């Protein structure tokens, strides 16, 4: 899955007053291009109930981060091109295809939710959801995700 991830560079401790969007975004050190590697330990992962899937980490197996930038606040994600390549060949591409237009809008909710549970620590990496869906690849494939003008992330799956 092609994703954007944010890496916090400051602790956001629990507090009574909610954090606002500007406070949260100022605490982010970098934004990264990421690939969520999905896998399941469940034989029937497609038909499992929600709690079983949750116990299986919602199909999350690994997170691969690639290029990053500290200058992310001016990016217009509603018009931003993204593409996924398998072994250098285009698999899927889209423009402005994140469900919330700008994935950073998820961060204030997360921080305020976490504030009641211990806060967010510096170094925490937060992914924000798939841009192009989940794609299955064969062993010995190389997957590259590119966000134009920002960068790329690449992962390979040896046999």
């Amino acid at each position: 899955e092609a994703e954007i991830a944010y890496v916090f560079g400051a602790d956001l401790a629990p507090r009574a007053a909610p954090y606002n969007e500007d406070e949260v975004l100022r605490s982010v050190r970098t934004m990264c291009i990421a690939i969520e590697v999905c896998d399941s330990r469940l034989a029937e992962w497609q038909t499992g109930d929600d709690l079983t899937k949750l116990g299986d980490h919602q199909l999350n197996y690994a997170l691969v981060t690639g290029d990053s930038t500290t200058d992310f606040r001016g990016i217009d994600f509603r018009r931003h091109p993204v593409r996924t390549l398998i072994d250098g060949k285009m698999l899927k591409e889209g423009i402005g295809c994140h469900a919330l237009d700008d994935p950073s809008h998820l961060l204030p909710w997360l921080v305020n939710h976490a504030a009641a549970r211990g806060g967010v620590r510096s170094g925490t990496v937060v992914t924000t959801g798939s841009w192009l869906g989940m794609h299955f690849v064969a062993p010995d494939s190389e997957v590259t995700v590119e966000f134009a003008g920002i960068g790329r992330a690449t992962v390979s799956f040896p046999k």
Side-chain angles (χ1 to χ4, degrees):
E1 294 183 357
E3 299 203 16
I4 293 290
Y6 295 90
V7 182
F8 283 86
D11 292 341
L12 294 170
R15 70 180 198 191
Y19 286 94
N20 66 44
E21 185 172 355
D22 188 57
E23 288 175 295
V24 171
L25 293 180
R26 278 188 285 121
S27 72
V28 173
R29 180 174 59 226
T30 59
M31 181 195 79
C32 305
I33 306 306
I35 299 171
E36 180 182 357
V37 178
C38 300
D39 197 4
S40 178
R41 295 166 290 185
L42 305 172
E44 304 288 328
W45 65 271
Q46 293 153 318
T47 58
D49 64 86
D50 289 343
L51 285 177
T52 302
K53 289 178 183 178
L54 181 62
D56 191 40
H57 303 285
Q58 297 295 99
L59 300 178
N60 180 278
Y61 177 75
L63 182 69
V64 176
T65 58
D67 295 328
S68 64
T69 182
T70 58
D71 185 22
F72 59 87
R73 290 185 83 170
I75 297 171
D76 183 359
F77 284 109
R78 293 170 299 159
R79 293 179 179 82
H80 206 88
V82 58
R83 60 189 200 156
T84 298
L85 300 103
I86 307 295
D87 297 326
K89 296 178 184 143
M90 179 73 65
L91 174 70
K92 190 166 183 180
E93 62 185 331
I95 295 176
C97 46
H98 191 272
L100 293 180
D101 291 333
D102 184 341
S104 70
H105 293 311
L106 295 166
L107 298 177
W109 178 89
L110 171 83
V111 165
N112 288 309
H113 179 75
R117 292 156 181 81
V120 173
R121 293 186 181 248
S122 178
T124 298
V125 179
V126 176
T127 62
T128 56
S130 179
W131 285 68
L132 297 171
M134 182 171 60
H135 306 288
F136 296 92
V137 298
D140 210 27
S141 296
E142 181 179 86
V143 177
T144 300
V145 167
E146 296 178 341
F147 282 77
I150 301 172
R152 65 175 51 189
T154 300
V155 63
S156 59
F157 299 94
K159 286 184 182 178

